[in-house]
């Protein structure tokens, strides 16, 4: 994906990172609404919120709340989110999948 944007040093990749951080901070500002909607949806029979016996509704919603990182300032949240993006770039599984995909495509 990064190569499709022109690489790590491209203006398109920098714009992607900027927009992704803006979107994360915008979602964080609406976290109360999202969490309230999840609470309302918990009685609707949505899988992984209520029907799944292994799912603890309050635990799932608490997990979503924790992922919003509401204790951070916008600047700290931006650094956190950029860290997530960088962690994903360094992940091994997508690289392995790309190799297998390249092999599969070359055999066609």
């Amino acid at each position: 994906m990064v190569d499709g944007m022109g690489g790590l040093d491209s203006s398109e990749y920098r714009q992607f990172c900027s927009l992704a951080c803006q979107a994360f901070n915008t979602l964080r500002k609406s976290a109360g609404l999202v969490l309230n909607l999840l609470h309302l949806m918990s009685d609707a029979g949505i899988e992984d919120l209520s029907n799944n016996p292994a799912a603890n509704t309050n635990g799932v919603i608490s997990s979503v709340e924790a992922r919003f990182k509401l204790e951070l300032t916008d600047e700290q949240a931006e650094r956190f989110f950029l860290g997530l993006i960088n962690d994903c770039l360094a992940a091994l599984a997508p690289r392995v999948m790309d190799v297998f995909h390249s092999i599969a495509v070359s055999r066609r």
Side-chain angles (χ1 to χ4, degrees), residues 7-98:
L8 291 173
D9 297 324
S10 69
S11 62
E12 289 81 6
Y13 177 70
R14 286 191 299 277
Q15 181 182 18
F16 162 76
C17 289
S18 174
L19 291 173
C21 290
Q22 287 176 27
F24 181 60
N25 277 323
T26 300
L27 282 171
R28 290 175 67 242
K29 289 177 181 143
S30 300
L33 177 62
V34 172
L35 296 170
N36 283 332
L37 287 172
L38 287 174
H39 277 288
L40 291 172
M41 291 167 33
S42 65
D43 293 330
I46 296 174
E47 190 173 339
D48 291 331
L49 279 179
S50 59
N51 283 348
N52 185 347
N56 172 357
T57 302
N58 291 330
V60 171
I61 294 171
S62 294
S63 175
V64 171
E65 182 176 7
R67 290 175 189 213
F68 276 127
K69 298 292 183 189
L70 298 176
E71 71 278 4
L72 302 178
T73 65
D74 282 353
E75 293 80 20
Q76 291 170 327
E78 183 173 335
R79 284 194 300 274
F80 167 77
F81 201 75
L82 286 173
L84 287 178
I85 292 171
N86 289 329
D87 288 348
C88 290
L89 291 175
L92 180 62
R95 291 181 184 186
V96 171
M97 292 296 288
D98 282 344

